[in-house]
Amino acid sequence: MRPTTVCLSKGFVGRSLEEFKRLWSVAYNLEGIKGPSGPLPLHDFHRPESLDETKLMSDADIGGYSKASLDWMPPSPQDNSNGHARFHGTISTALPPNRPQIQRSGYAAWRTLDRPPTLFGRALWNIDMYTYLAMRIKSDGRSYFVNVQTESVVPTDLHQHRLFSKRPGEWETVIIKWNDFVRTNHGFVVEPQTEMLRQKVRSIGVGLTDRVPGPFELCIERMWATNNMTEGDEPHEHHVETPVPKEGQLRNKQGRNISWSDK
């Protein structure tokens, strides 16, 4: 049997060993019965090379004029003791003059790349035993969306949720229920809704699609799946707020905006 290029690629054996250890730990600790023993790390930006595992997108890819960057920021005692990513740029809704087929512009986004395969097959996240997605962020208060892509029958489907910031300009931990994500396709809510395929999550990212011209900046330290609503919070961050319905940019097929609960 002749080995494939993927099997010979650097890190394949190491990734396979790590996956074996993870699967063994799940079985040994009976996590399928008792539940997970701790949070599941999804992605962090503590190291400069963490940016190599992400993909940056904007309307510039189709001739638009928005500018987007994803830069690594080193640890700083004045800001964050851990390294993090800075997603920033400028949104422009100007349409490319020589491409009449382009009718909408003004977006920027990033996502994690598909994870490299292991000896056990395609590497996917299984977040089925977790209730929440947690993100450590510092936002400028704009209307960002969290985008989750799974091994869906329809490859262009996304599961989306508003990324609500309670304290723009400050570091905070945002908690989102996995069950609150909405299935969309090309920016429209898909009906009927189906549950997220939580056993096979491919990538997670953040997008800005409010089409409001001007600068934006969102800092992200890490993302993880958890069952603890207060996990990762600093002591002064423990607070409960009354849910406030907010209208977002997502629309259904009838053109009506859907509402989110800031909770």
Side-chain angles (χ1 to χ4, degrees), residues 82-236:
N82 294 311
H84 61 275
R86 178 173 172 249
F87 177 48
H88 65 104
T90 305
I91 294 296
S92 170
T93 55
L95 298 174
N98 300 321
R99 304 188 68 180
Q101 72 276 19
I102 305 299
Q103 299 296 318
R104 287 175 63 87
S105 186
Y107 66 87
W110 65 269
R111 70 171 180 88
T112 58
L113 293 175
D114 291 353
R115 300 166 67 201
T118 70
L119 187 63
F120 301 93
R122 190 167 189 172
L124 300 166
W125 286 303
N126 181 356
I127 50 92
D128 197 36
M129 293 185 291
Y130 298 90
T131 304
Y132 307 104
L133 166 67
M135 301 180 67
R136 189 72 178 165
I137 66 162
K138 181 173 69 172
S139 175
D140 58 5
R142 292 190 63 158
S143 301
Y144 298 94
F145 275 89
V146 181
N147 303 320
V148 177
Q149 190 172 26
T150 68
E151 287 280 83
S152 171
V153 176
V154 183
T156 53
D157 276 357
L158 287 177
H159 287 81
Q160 297 185 287
H161 195 284
R162 271 286 303 274
L163 180 58
F164 288 109
S165 172
K166 300 180 185 298
R167 297 191 309 279
E170 299 180 23
W171 283 101
E172 59 184 314
T173 300
V174 175
I175 302 289
I176 305 173
K177 283 186 177 180
W178 291 111
N179 286 342
D180 286 350
F181 278 80
V182 176
R183 180 183 168 216
T184 68
N185 193 291
H186 295 294
F188 290 94
V189 176
V190 176
E191 298 292 351
Q193 284 285 302
T194 57
E195 289 188 7
M196 182 190 300
L197 192 59
R198 294 168 53 163
Q199 300 90 345
K200 296 184 177 182
V201 174
R202 286 178 53 190
S203 71
I204 301 176
V206 175
L208 179 60
T209 59
D210 60 7
R211 304 188 72 245
V212 177
F216 67 90
E217 180 175 331
L218 175 72
C219 295
I220 314 101
E221 181 195 325
R222 62 189 181 108
M223 306 181 294
W224 67 100
T226 181
N227 288 318
N228 186 352
M229 282 196 68
T230 61
E231 192 170 83
D233 283 350
E234 300 296 332
H236 67 273

Side-chain angles (χ1 to χ4, degrees), residues 10 14 31 35 46 49 73 80 112 122 127 155 183 200 230 242 255:
K10 184 179 179 181
E31 292 187 10
H46 295 166
E49 54 268 26
M73 308 300 293
N80 193 318
T112 58
R122 190 167 189 172
I127 50 92
R183 180 183 168 216
K200 296 184 177 182
T230 61
T242 303

Side-chain angles (χ1 to χ4, degrees), residues 2-21:
R2 184 178 181 180
T4 64
T5 303
V6 172
C7 290
L8 293 175
S9 64
K10 184 179 179 181
F12 178 81
V13 174
R15 292 195 305 272
S16 299
L17 181 60
E18 288 181 0
E19 180 65 6
F20 173 77
K21 290 179 179 178

